Amino acid sequence: MRTIGAVLVIAATTAIVTNAATAGNWSASLNEAHRLFYSGRYEAAASLAFDVRVANPDSLAASELRTSALHFQMRRALGEPKNRETAWKQCAACQELMPVFMTELAAGQTAARARLEKNPADAEAMFFLGKLDLNYVWLQLGTVGRKTGWSEYWEARKSLDAVLKTNPGHVRAQVARAWIDYIVDTKLPRGTKWMLGGGNRKKGLLAVQEAARSAVDPFVQAEAMFGLWDMQVRERNMADAVVTARALMEDFPDNEDLAKFLAVHDSRANFTNAAVR
């Protein structure tokens, strides 16, 4: 007969193995959600990230990814209209997705802040709180066209600065902080720049370039590479943007946005297509 002690040991071991397996499933699902996101399949990425977050309510990474995917769904649905305010009001998909985004944002922020109340030095919670805040700020400022979300902006800026102070090599924090420098310098008037602590376009671009060259997790590097591509396009540096887009296409060949960009700007691709015809 097994002793009570032996039974307890077996039960504890079984629980540890089960939890490890479950955590492995969450990790695999989150990786797949990231792959879908960087392949431009935002709806599928948001759905899978939601499944991960429901199964593991403490997953700040799932909340952050889902808000990013929902934002990009709205951005794609809205397009590049001349009158952003009117287009936003007329965008049925945007109106449907916005409350979903806000609910996910609130869930992630609440979870991150609760962790920081228990442990103010929790670098993971600090980073994800900052990133969630920025997802909201960039949605309002860049996609909807509203200058709002300044409390979230300051919380994000302070959170990311705190992360980088303790860990200067945190690549995702480097990229997120670089976007603050870049957007504040390039998109906001001088008076607003000063009120928001200033920005530095060149510093932001250089930081993203360095992050993109870092040997890190593939999806972390993908985030940096997509950030670099976006900034290169904004800078009208199409030659370098084409090089970056080609590199991204090797890992994410199903991304329609990359394919469309290269079809227009990559002379090598155009030459190949002409030869095939």
Side-chain angles (χ1 to χ4, degrees), residues 29-49 62 64-76 131 135 172 219 222-224 226-227 252 254-258:
S29 295
L30 198 57
N31 282 341
E32 176 61 13
H34 276 102
R35 187 192 66 78
L36 290 167
F37 177 77
Y38 291 119
S39 295
R41 297 177 59 188
Y42 304 126
E43 184 175 357
S47 178
L48 188 52
E64 188 279 319
L65 178 57
R66 188 174 185 231
T67 55
S68 294
L70 290 166
H71 175 196
F72 275 70
Q73 279 182 263
M74 288 184 270
R75 192 170 78 170
R76 178 177 283 173
K131 188 65 169 60
N135 286 350
R172 294 198 70 190
F219 293 122
E223 182 176 50
F226 271 101
F252 307 103
D254 298 329
N255 189 299
E256 295 180 6
D257 296 325
L258 290 171

Side-chain angles (χ1 to χ4, degrees), residues 133-164:
D133 285 339
L134 285 184
N135 286 350
Y136 174 73
V137 174
W138 300 150
L139 168 63
Q140 293 291 350
L141 183 64
T143 300
V144 184
R146 297 172 183 161
K147 293 180 180 179
T148 188
W150 302 131
S151 61
E152 287 85 359
Y153 167 84
W154 277 113
E155 184 176 56
R157 186 165 182 148
K158 290 176 182 177
S159 295
L160 294 169
D161 284 346
V163 172
L164 290 170

Side-chain angles (χ1 to χ4, degrees), residues 10-232:
I10 292 172
T13 302
T14 301
I16 291 171
V17 172
T18 301
N19 290 339
T22 303
N25 290 337
W26 292 335
S27 179
S29 295
L30 198 57
N31 282 341
E32 176 61 13
H34 276 102
R35 187 192 66 78
L36 290 167
F37 177 77
Y38 291 119
S39 295
R41 297 177 59 188
Y42 304 126
E43 184 175 357
S47 178
L48 188 52
F50 178 68
D51 291 342
V52 174
R53 210 254 301 153
V54 169
N56 179 15
D58 294 329
S59 178
L60 298 178
S63 280
E64 188 279 319
L65 178 57
R66 188 174 185 231
T67 55
S68 294
L70 290 166
H71 175 196
F72 275 70
Q73 279 182 263
M74 288 184 270
R75 192 170 78 170
R76 178 177 283 173
L78 188 66
E80 296 292 337
K82 291 183 179 179
N83 189 321
R84 193 168 292 274
E85 182 178 357
T86 300
W88 174 259
K89 292 177 181 178
Q90 296 174 346
C91 178
C94 300
Q95 303 309 313
E96 181 179 342
L97 290 168
M98 188 62 164
V100 181
F101 173 94
M102 293 303 296
T103 299
E104 187 63 54
L105 176 71
Q109 288 172 323
T110 299
R113 288 168 184 156
R115 281 176 54 172
L116 288 169
E117 282 186 11
K118 293 181 179 179
N119 178 14
D122 186 335
E124 182 181 71
M126 251 187 290
F127 165 74
F128 280 115
L129 179 58
K131 188 65 169 60
L132 284 160
D133 285 339
L134 285 184
N135 286 350
Y136 174 73
V137 174
W138 300 150
L139 168 63
Q140 293 291 350
L141 183 64
T143 300
V144 184
R146 297 172 183 161
K147 293 180 180 179
T148 188
W150 302 131
S151 61
E152 287 85 359
Y153 167 84
W154 277 113
E155 184 176 56
R157 186 165 182 148
K158 290 176 182 177
S159 295
L160 294 169
D161 284 346
V163 172
L164 290 170
K165 183 177 181 179
T166 58
N167 181 10
H170 194 299
V171 176
R172 294 198 70 190
Q174 289 173 355
V175 173
R177 189 61 178 79
W179 272 115
I180 291 177
D181 275 324
Y182 188 88
I183 294 297
V184 169
D185 194 18
T186 59
K187 291 296 183 181
L188 299 174
R190 182 175 297 176
T192 306
K193 290 180 192 178
W194 177 79
M195 290 174 58
L196 296 178
N200 189 319
R201 165 179 153 267
K202 292 182 178 179
K203 179 181 177 183
L205 182 57
L206 179 61
V208 171
Q209 288 173 336
E210 292 177 349
R213 290 194 293 265
S214 301
V216 293
D217 174 273
F219 293 122
V220 174
Q221 188 164 34
E223 182 176 50
M225 288 283 286
F226 271 101
L228 176 60
W229 175 56
D230 194 344
M231 286 188 187
Q232 288 170 335

